[in-house]
Amino acid sequence: MSESVVLRTIGGMLFPYILVYGLYVQMHGEIGPGGGFQAGVLVAAAFILHSLLFGKELTDRLLPTWLVDLSMSLGVLLYIGVGIVGLVKGSYFLDYSVLDPTHPAHAEALGMTLVEAGVGLTVASVILTMVRKVNGEPA
Amino acid sequence: MNSETSMLPVLIVLIPLVGGVLAPIIGRGIFGWLLALVTTGAATFVSGTLLLFIHAQNTLTPPFAISYPLGGWPAPHGIELKIDLLSALLATLVSGMGFMVTLFSRQGVDDEIPADRRRFFWSLWLLAITGLLGILITGDAFNVYVLLEISSLTIYGLIAMGRQRNRQALTAALNYLVLGSVGASFILIAIGLLYAKTGTLNMADIHAKLLLAPVDATVLTARAFLLAGVALKMALFPLHLWMPAAYSTAPSAVAALLAATATKVGIYMGMRFIFSVFAMSGGAALSEANILIIGICCGAAIIFGSLSAARQPSLSLLLAYSSVAQIGYIVVGMTVGHIDAMTGSILHMVFHALIKGGLFLCAGILIYRLGTTRLEDLAGLGQRMPWVSGAIVVGGLGMIGIPGTAGFVSKFYLLKGLILSGHPVLAGLVLIGSVLAAIYTWRFVEIAYLRPAEDTPLRNGLPFEKFLPVLLLLGASIYLGLQPGAIIDVAHDAAQQLLGGSP
């Protein structure tokens, strides 16, 4: 936790912008460089900055530990879920085209967006958990 | 292939994967164990069904393999799951062993893992099984590496969880992490070189392209890196150093799972790459020089492993060093590339998994009831725990290869293959290894039956659910020793598919 007014003010101003930029990288990943991995790291970095500046307690209020734990699994489940839709509809695992049979390109865009969202969720929460563990907090 | 079986291949990995991801959410208390039990059971059912299906089809139209394009992208551009007889046999073995050890380990995990970590334990447990099963069924070389990392990373974590009982588990896990990462990097370098050479990552496609191109330094370097990496993963002498410490300090359930499955999957990778990817057209997969080097390693593994096993202070370490020797048998059989030796090698993989899995479960029971596996503390075990020590003796007989146990069948085929392919020295080593196995088994018998019993109190009774898997595994090894026809059939066909060069 930092006592410096300059750091806390600038950091507090940057925090939402880092999140928005993370979201942009997340959304952009479907059509260009970017995607879930990079976006997850950016979002996690925003919260790490927050906890460095304002202390762990405040960050925990913003983003409770149980939520981080839960989203580690939820991200992967979202990914697998998209895959299982393909299986249930009688096609192959992770076959996006069943998501919108009338328009394959849309189906692919939807499938990739959902899968990347899952990746982003898992990466962000795993990185936050790793930082928490390195800080010596018990499991 | 009909529509019922068409989605089975992906289910083999999907079921334990979903279980592993759900475990941190719903795996508190007994639910983690139940989840693991249900998912490994379902995976066993699926892979068993596939094994029967593929075996039936393979007798009609050999060679038969199921291909499953993930995401509907056809091979070689998409990632393909490819299941032939060997994959299906080992997938059944791995998921079945996972089920048995899970059945065994409810109280053991309660005993050895702190309550707030149990849900993560079950998560790692199922993800490790996912990775191991994935390696067995994928037809994509890079996919092998990814799944290898999944299984390795989770296994490092599982071993480190033994620190509650034994602080050295942390050192063992770190050693394995360093060595395992080196091995995995070697495998990655080999895959990278193959990709540079052929421009494809699909195993069948790499094989087809290698057959057309002349053998050059790139291919030979790739093969060298691959063999070194795989040898580390399967703990082939002299790259076995991570194994005894890891096996003896890991939680007892983890030790049993690793001994029964992880090294077998390493050997599978070796077989798959040597015979389905690198095998040259019309010739043996390995040159005589290769066989000489690997044969020396295997011979050293058999002699050194057995001799070391005979002077270990604890049963866990004894079993671990005996595994070093058994890996030697399996690898020597696959190296010479003879059909009978390969059959023996595949049989020995299955039987050794059953026997050594059962023996490590016995060690787990000793930890549960005595709190130790130190041989000195086992004096008079024959009177104090007649069932468990009887089971250990039965397992030991299987390891020696006494007629009537499964070990005899596999060693018979190994010897036949080694002699027929003109390697009498290697055959002699297998025989010497059996004699040495008798020495370390006798050591246990002497301590357990011929020494007066100690009167340290037993902490717990013998729970039926703990002894049931031991009974089933060792019972299976006896049954398969007496009625080996069906399994020999499967192993022979699998060996034929493998030597035929089709992945």
Side-chain angles (χ1 to χ4, degrees), chain A residues 12-27:
Chain A
M13 279 166 62
L14 278 177
F15 177 69
Y17 289 103
I18 301 177
L19 282 184
V20 171
Y21 187 62
L23 215 58
Y24 163 73
V25 171
Q26 171 83 51
M27 291 306 176

Side-chain angles (χ1 to χ4, degrees), chain B residues 78-101:
Chain B
I79 293 176
E80 172 195 34
L81 300 182
K82 191 147 197 178
I83 311 186
D84 62 5
L85 208 46
L86 180 65
S87 314
L89 177 66
L90 290 180
T92 313
L93 179 75
V94 168
S95 48
M97 290 303 303
F99 177 73
M100 289 291 177
V101 183

Side-chain angles (χ1 to χ4, degrees), chain A residues 69-70 72-77 80 83-84 87-88 91-96 108 133 137-139, chain B residues 6-7 10-11 14 17-18 20-25 67-73 116-117 119-120:
Chain A
D69 274 3
L70 188 66
M72 273 198 284
S73 291
L74 280 186
V76 186
L77 280 179
I80 301 174
I84 289 181
L87 272 188
V88 172
S91 181
Y92 294 107
F93 183 71
L94 274 179
D95 186 356
Y96 297 138
E108 195 146 305
K133 290 276 152 62
E137 222 176 281
Chain B
S6 67
M7 63 186 233
V10 74
L11 285 184
L14 206 53
L17 176 63
V18 171
V21 176
L22 281 177
I25 308 180
S67 167
Y68 184 95
L70 283 173
W73 297 97
D116 58 331
R117 283 178 182 270
R119 58 198 174 109
F120 296 110

